[in-house]
């Protein structure tokens, strides 16, 4: 075994279409620093899988396969987990982990994920201090929710915003092509923060205000107000498209989707869980007596590599590389942040922040970017998001279907 | 007004991502035949809108705008309708139509659509005979359902098949990335014919059998059998992906989605209509006690121009052109058909069939292409469909979002 320290990298939480670009960045930068780094290992299924002895030699994969395909492979190549390390830093799970790190001669650990994953980086770096270990732990941000604090935005969000805008533009054309009144309700991801829903505003054109109404979880939803706004909208447009966050809630904090769940039971007596879109569809049909359809964009919002933003892919890769550079510079317990510089057009610089200031916090959509009546998004947001959706992914196809790198967990 | 006869073209029924390519073909071939054809007009919102006096001068649009953008514009540029002409060919609606045709000096009428639209072509051509009118009526096929008889396939189907295969490949990567057992149910379009659902088989890879189970409307669905098959699947794959047609029904012909509708009522006392995917999700959660998610791919299946098949776009355009050629040749009451020639690889020739042999009929998915237990699709289908999904659409983007031609009904 080489005396050089090795890299260990993991992915955690919900997948995005660019989380593998960050992984690619870590691997590439690791391999490039031949004089400082031995082997690049990957945890399979995050820290949970690693604890169960599941890892992969990524240097070997890079030797034998076109790993730049990671940039066109959505979801977590390494597999993911939703696992929180114990609060008690004296727990023997940490002894087990640091023993394995030592056996594998790990010098640098990178964890690509969102709030919960940064909690893992925080705990591991604090345990390292207690154990006087010199292993360095760096977090690489990832989440379509764009809800991490201390960073201009997060990798994954730009692609989701582009997916939402592009797909909605197509849905609006479909939904408006009949001459008879109709309502189409599109439910978007984001339980607590409306960043994904806000992107629907990008689907507007000079000839149609659709999506006519946009409802965010940051603004209390009221059924009567909705009815009034929809009535007014139907006086302006034959076919009205409404976008709602899955997390819209009333002034008492009760989710609109829960309105349906309380009363809905299927033929076997099982409680039916439905989204707020389906609930509102039902409401509109009953109250307005017109054609209404609801659409939940669902998983493709976070895994559509084919419609990813090239800017997002590029930034995600650079975030991975910046993490390796930071670790080699001696940093630990930090997350890579995006710092926007608008001096000469849009530019991103890669900074560092203490993970303890980030984990378990949530960046809401700014209240001042939502109009007073809670049905629209301001131009400030458009100015903020526009650069993040620039450029299109160049997919690779074989026999008519997209090509991906075979996931680590299928090896 | 020129003494040359004019063209009138309309679109009808559910949109597809390539119905505008057929329209482009009609316009292009119409404009090319300057010595035979005067102006190309379009019905706005199909025959229903035309009856209300709604039409557009497409020759003028072609003079002023890049109409090749029709090939990257999904849904119905002209607007659509779901309107059946009267069975009584003596109804005065026909007098009104033929009077207008005469006033506009129409010589050729093209109607782009599915079964119901071919019924319109049939009736109009029969009325023409009765009225001794020499106006020629030609149907251009269109439907993602691929259920028109007498044609190898229909424009629109290839793009939907490609969308389903590509998107499912991405969803499968997302759905399988955790180490814990889960079931993902994907509901696909096709109430009576399983062509769209069958395309999910194209998402399989050499490393994963997912979608593990595929359920078609042509095979009776049984809840107990489903439970057994799913149990067996979960013994082979940690994360099982199941594809179901929206139209799966039991041996008595009752739709599975109706199982839920019978019992499900929301908080306002309104009956909740849910799809079979949501119903099965609920069933799996209750019976297996594991994580289960259902996804309805919904409208993007038929309007995702961004993931369209280049072969489909090309064939749709050629079908439009072939319609104009046929009309100029003196044909009427016919639909353009696709005749496959496999002698030297895949090739399509454009034929003609009597619309009366096509309208109101339905081509089911062949029973022999479904495996005996009703959970899988045979290789014969893959051989049939593979050529239809070749090639990718080249989208045009502006400021990060796709560019479309402004629909006629917004003018």
């Amino acid at each position: 075994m080489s005396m050089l320290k090795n890299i260990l990298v993991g992915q955690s939480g919900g997948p995005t279409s660019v989380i593998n670009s960050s992984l690619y960045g870590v691997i590439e930068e690791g391999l490039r620093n031949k004089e400082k780094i031995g082997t690049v290992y990957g945890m399979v299924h995050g820290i949970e899988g690693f604890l169960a002895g599941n890892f992969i030699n990524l240097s070997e994969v890079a030797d034998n396969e076109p790993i730049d395909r990671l940039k066109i492979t959505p979801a977590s190549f390494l597999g993911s987990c939703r696992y929180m390390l114990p609060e008690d830093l004296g727990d023997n799970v940490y002894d087990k982990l640091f023993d394995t790190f030592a056996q594998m001669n790990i010098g640098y650990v990178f964890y690509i994920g969102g709030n919960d994953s940064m909690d893992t980086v925080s705990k591991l770096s604090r345990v390292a201090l207690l154990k006087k270990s010199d292993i360095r732990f760096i977090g690489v941000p990832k989440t379509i929710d764009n809800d991490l604090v201390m960073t201009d935005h997060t990798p994954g969000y730009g692609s989701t915003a582009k997916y939402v805008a592009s797909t909605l533009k197509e849905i609006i054309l479909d939904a408006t092509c009949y001459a008879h009144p109709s309502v189409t309700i599109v439910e978007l991801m984001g339980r607590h923060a409306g960043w994904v829903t806000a992107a629907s505003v990008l689907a507007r054109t000079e000839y149609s205000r659709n999506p006519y109404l946009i409802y965010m979880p940051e603004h209390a939803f009221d059924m009567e107000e909705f009815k009034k706004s929809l009535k007014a909208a139907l006086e302006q447009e034959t076919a009205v498209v409404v976008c709602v966050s899955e997390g819209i809630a009333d002034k008492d904090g009760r989710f609109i989707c829960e309105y349906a769940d309380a009363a809905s039971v299927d033929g076997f007596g099982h409680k039916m869980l439905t989204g707020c879109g389906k609930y509102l569809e039902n409401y509109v049909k009953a109250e307005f007596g017109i054609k209404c359809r609801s659409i939940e964009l669902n998983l493709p919002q976070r895994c559509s590599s084919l419609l990813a933003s090239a800017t997002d892919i590029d930034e995600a890769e650079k975030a991975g590389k910046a993490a390796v550079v930071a670790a080699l510079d001696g940093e630990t317990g930090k997350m890579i942040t995006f710092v926007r510089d608008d001096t000469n057009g849009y530019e991103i610089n890669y900074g560092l922040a203490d993970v303890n200031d980030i984990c378990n916090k949530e960046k809401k959509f700014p209240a001042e970017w939502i109009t007073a009546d809670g049905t629209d998004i301001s131009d400030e947001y458009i100015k903020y998001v526009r650069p993040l959706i620039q450029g299109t992914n160049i997919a690779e196809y074989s026999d008519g279907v997209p090509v991906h790198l075979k996931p680590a967990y299928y090896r």
Side-chain angles (χ1 to χ4, degrees), chain A:
Chain A
M1 189 187 277
S2 154
M3 295 308 291
L4 293 173
K5 289 288 183 186
N6 300 321
I7 278 180
L8 179 64
V9 55
Q11 294 174 313
S12 169
T16 76
S17 45
V18 304
I19 184 169
N20 290 330
S21 294
S22 290
L23 175 62
Y24 176 76
V26 169
I27 299 172
E28 277 296 287
E29 191 65 20
L31 297 177
R32 209 175 62 79
N33 283 280
K34 287 188 206 312
E35 70 296 347
K36 294 177 192 158
I37 286 164
T39 302
V40 181
Y41 292 104
M43 309 175 185
V44 175
H45 293 304
I47 197 78
E48 186 184 23
F50 184 73
L51 268 166
N54 211 346
F55 65 90
I56 186 173
N57 183 328
L58 291 169
S59 298
E60 225 170 77
V61 174
D63 279 346
N64 299 305
E65 294 174 52
I67 61 157
D68 55 341
R69 270 193 195 152
L70 283 169
K71 296 203 269 185
I72 55 169
T73 301
S76 301
F77 168 80
L78 290 173
S80 191
C81 68
R82 295 196 184 275
Y83 179 83
M84 297 291 268
L85 286 169
E87 291 299 326
D88 174 10
L89 300 185
D91 194 293
N92 59 20
V93 84
Y94 293 107
D95 300 331
K96 190 180 170 191
L97 275 173
F98 278 77
D99 285 351
T100 315
F101 292 158
Q103 280 158 32
M104 291 175 69
N105 198 30
I106 301 298
Y108 317 94
V109 176
F110 303 98
Y111 214 46
I112 313 172
N115 314 30
D116 291 347
S117 310
M118 294 312 134
D119 180 81
T120 297
V121 176
S122 161
K123 284 168 179 161
L124 290 174
S125 60
R126 284 184 281 139
V127 171
L129 267 180
L130 295 175
K131 288 185 181 286
K132 303 194 193 315
S133 157
D134 58 0
I135 302 177
R136 295 156 197 174
F137 298 89
I138 303 285
V140 183
K142 171 268 357 166
T143 170
I144 67 158
D145 293 330
N146 203 35
D147 61 352
L148 295 185
V149 297
M150 307 195 73
T151 183
D152 179 76
H153 59 279
T154 53
Y157 177 62
S159 292
T160 295
K162 189 181 184 80
Y163 177 85
V164 166
S166 303
T167 304
L168 253 180
K169 271 203 83 174
E170 299 184 320
I171 288 174
I172 289 167
L173 284 176
D174 187 301
T176 58
C177 80
Y178 295 103
H180 303 284
S182 70
V183 176
T184 303
I185 295 167
V186 182
E187 180 184 325
L188 297 147
M189 280 182 165
R191 193 83 172 168
H192 302 292
W195 292 99
V196 174
T197 302
S200 64
V201 75
L202 297 166
R204 288 219 182 111
T205 53
E206 78 282 6
Y207 52 86
S208 164
R209 202 195 126 156
N210 278 318
Y212 211 98
L213 303 167
I214 300 172
Y215 291 101
M216 306 278 284
E218 285 87 353
H219 194 278
F221 188 88
D222 181 272
M223 294 300 288
E224 280 306 311
E225 284 301 318
F226 168 64
K227 193 174 164 182
K228 268 187 233 165
S229 301
L230 185 58
K231 192 160 177 283
L234 282 162
E235 280 159 19
Q236 300 298 319
E237 291 260 358
T238 308
V240 171
V241 178
V242 179
C243 288
V244 295
S245 157
E246 61 178 332
I248 49 168
D250 63 24
K251 63 178 178 7
D252 303 321
R254 188 169 171 221
F255 287 119
I256 303 306
C257 60
E258 291 175 333
Y259 285 17
D261 298 346
S264 193
V265 174
D266 77 8
F268 287 84
H270 308 145
K271 191 171 159 186
M272 291 284 282
L273 300 172
T274 43
C276 62
K278 179 58 81 178
Y279 180 76
L280 292 176
E281 171 194 326
N282 222 42
Y283 175 81
V284 170
K285 279 177 179 164
E287 296 292 322
F288 287 81
I290 60 174
K291 189 180 153 194
C292 184
R293 178 196 286 269
S294 68
I295 302 174
E296 208 185 319
L297 287 191
N298 219 310
L299 287 194
Q301 284 166 93
R302 71 180 193 193
C303 69
S304 179
S305 174
L306 293 169
L307 301 185
S309 147
T311 300
D312 193 24
I313 293 172
D314 181 56
E315 291 177 352
E317 178 186 343
K318 285 180 177 152
K321 290 183 171 172
V324 175
V325 170
L328 289 174
D329 280 354
E331 299 285 355
T332 188
K334 302 279 169 66
M335 185 190 85
I336 300 298
T337 60
F338 285 16
V339 184
R340 188 188 296 228
D341 178 358
D342 271 335
T343 324
N344 302 303
Y346 172 79
E347 205 178 303
I348 288 296
N349 298 309
Y350 299 84
L352 288 166
D354 189 325
V355 277
N356 297 298
D357 295 336
I358 293 166
C359 58
N360 311 319
K361 285 177 190 163
E362 202 171 45
K363 184 172 73 179
K364 299 274 188 189
F365 190 85
E368 63 273 23
W369 288 0
I370 305 176
T371 56
D373 66 350
T375 69
D376 206 357
I377 304 299
S378 78
D379 288 346
E380 281 89 344
Y381 167 72
I382 297 178
K383 202 179 149 206
Y384 162 85
V385 77
R386 187 68 79 181
L388 316 189
I389 65 165
Q390 298 300 313
T392 50
N393 188 10
I394 304 303
E396 198 181 324
Y397 282 83
S398 169
D399 237 357
V401 292
V403 173
H404 303 128
L405 201 63
K406 179 179 162 183
Y409 52 88
Y410 271 116
R411 292 161 186 251

